[in-house]
Amino acid sequence: MAMKFSVCTIDRPLEAFSPFPLRGSSYEECAAVAEILGYDGIELQIQDPAQYDAGELRATLERHNLGCSAVTTGLAYLYEGMSMTHPDEKIRMATIERLHRQLDLAKELNSQVLVGYLRGRKQPGQTDEEFEDILTDSVARTLEYAEEIQCSFVMEQINRNDGDVFCSTERTMTFLEKFHCDLLKYNGDTYHMVTEDPDPVAAIRRSLSKLVLFHVSDPGRQLPDDRHFDFYEAAAVLKEANYSEWVSIEAKPWPTSFECARTGLNYMRKVFG
């Protein structure tokens, strides 16, 4: 089976530097454009699932012949301060409850929940071990529900400028593997790999047992220009492994949202197709 191509979408106004190429006033509008361009799916940025009707979202995707590559959670961290490692236990528990509802939505859409920023940052004076202990507890609580409803929970490596401890592919994979859970998956991201993985080919191979989503962008969250990262080499590794999961464009919407989404898909087809 071939790889499936997706684009990160957002249904509300955000700053131009936010790396969501396809933008609209609703996910209906985003889905219509994605269908015209020829995408296989879209990635949904969902801050609060209570603000959406899962049945309507599912119908929207079906109407436009699209899948949902992921239900992404970072907006809850950026705009509400939610965090899986927050020092306040009440906020941690509220974050886990929010993730349960994200999982419900993802299940309804035959998708998966993606966590990056929502895992939070280290507190001043906190050790790596202390941070990992708290995150381990939060992930375990989330996985308990994910297993109950049988929905995948995906974690992303986040580079040292934007995250802590689990920055490289190796460090993130080691953390995920300790749970011995088939529903706990991995999101590789070339933007983070450029900073953290000296050997991207080895990093991708290391991730293959859990890789279900591969984000494509250059440093600065630009569209690929073949000057900073060898996307052809990355694609060769995925093809060799018969990877048939999602590859998704996550880049700033420049020069326009439509042009970024169109150019991104054409590039993925050329390199990963």
Side-chain angles (χ1 to χ4, degrees), residues 151-169:
C151 183
S152 291
F153 179 65
V154 186
M155 293 194 72
E156 179 181 21
Q157 72 175 114
I158 301 289
N159 70 47
R160 70 193 70 180
N161 300 314
D162 301 320
D164 298 304
V165 185
F166 307 105
C167 303
S168 69
T169 296

Side-chain angles (χ1 to χ4, degrees), residues 19-20 23 29 33 57 90-91 110-111 137 157 165 195 199-200 205-206 214 223 237 245 266:
F20 310 129
R23 302 179 176 213
E29 183 178 345
V33 175
L57 278 178
K90 290 183 179 179
I91 295 178
N110 193 30
S111 187
D137 179 73
Q157 72 175 114
V165 185
T195 303
D199 185 346
R205 288 202 175 103
R206 174 70 176 90
F214 192 75
L223 284 171
V237 176
E245 301 291 344
N266 289 341

Side-chain angles (χ1 to χ4, degrees), residues 26-187:
S26 67
Y27 282 125
E28 170 71 36
E29 183 178 345
C30 293
V33 175
E35 181 186 26
I36 289 169
L37 290 173
Y39 276 97
D40 300 306
I42 58 178
E43 185 174 311
L44 306 180
Q45 316 301 317
I46 304 291
Q47 181 174 336
D48 185 355
Q51 303 302 314
Y52 296 86
D53 182 299
E56 288 183 5
L57 278 178
R58 186 180 67 251
T60 293
L61 294 169
E62 291 173 351
R63 188 162 49 250
H64 295 286
N65 302 302
L66 296 170
C68 176
S69 55
V71 170
T72 302
T73 58
L75 297 181
Y77 172 76
L78 294 172
Y79 294 103
E80 294 181 72
M82 286 191 159
S83 165
M84 299 177 76
T85 55
H86 199 283
D88 187 329
E89 184 180 9
K90 290 183 179 179
I91 295 178
R92 289 201 307 275
M93 293 305 104
T95 302
I96 293 165
E97 178 62 26
R98 176 68 61 85
L99 280 167
H100 289 180
R101 303 291 75 79
Q102 300 273 16
L103 284 160
D104 287 336
L105 177 60
K107 177 71 173 181
E108 185 75 16
L109 302 179
N110 193 30
S111 187
Q112 53 200 0
V113 163
L114 174 60
V115 165
Y117 288 130
L118 193 64
R119 70 186 185 220
R121 301 297 303 263
K122 285 172 59 179
Q123 299 301 304
Q126 189 177 45
T127 66
D128 288 2
E129 292 75 16
E130 289 168 339
F131 179 82
E132 180 168 352
D133 285 346
I134 296 171
L135 184 59
T136 296
D137 179 73
S138 293
V139 169
R141 292 172 185 268
T142 305
L143 283 178
E144 183 177 358
Y145 188 70
E147 291 181 315
E148 179 182 329
I149 68 169
Q150 287 295 291
C151 183
S152 291
F153 179 65
V154 186
M155 293 194 72
E156 179 181 21
Q157 72 175 114
I158 301 289
N159 70 47
R160 70 193 70 180
N161 300 314
D162 301 320
D164 298 304
V165 185
F166 307 105
C167 303
S168 69
T169 296
E170 175 61 37
R171 188 68 180 86
T172 308
M173 283 293 294
T174 300
F175 176 74
L176 301 183
E177 288 167 345
K178 77 178 186 178
F179 292 92
H180 303 288
C181 178
D182 291 339
L183 289 173
L184 185 55
K185 303 294 187 179
Y186 181 72
N187 166 215

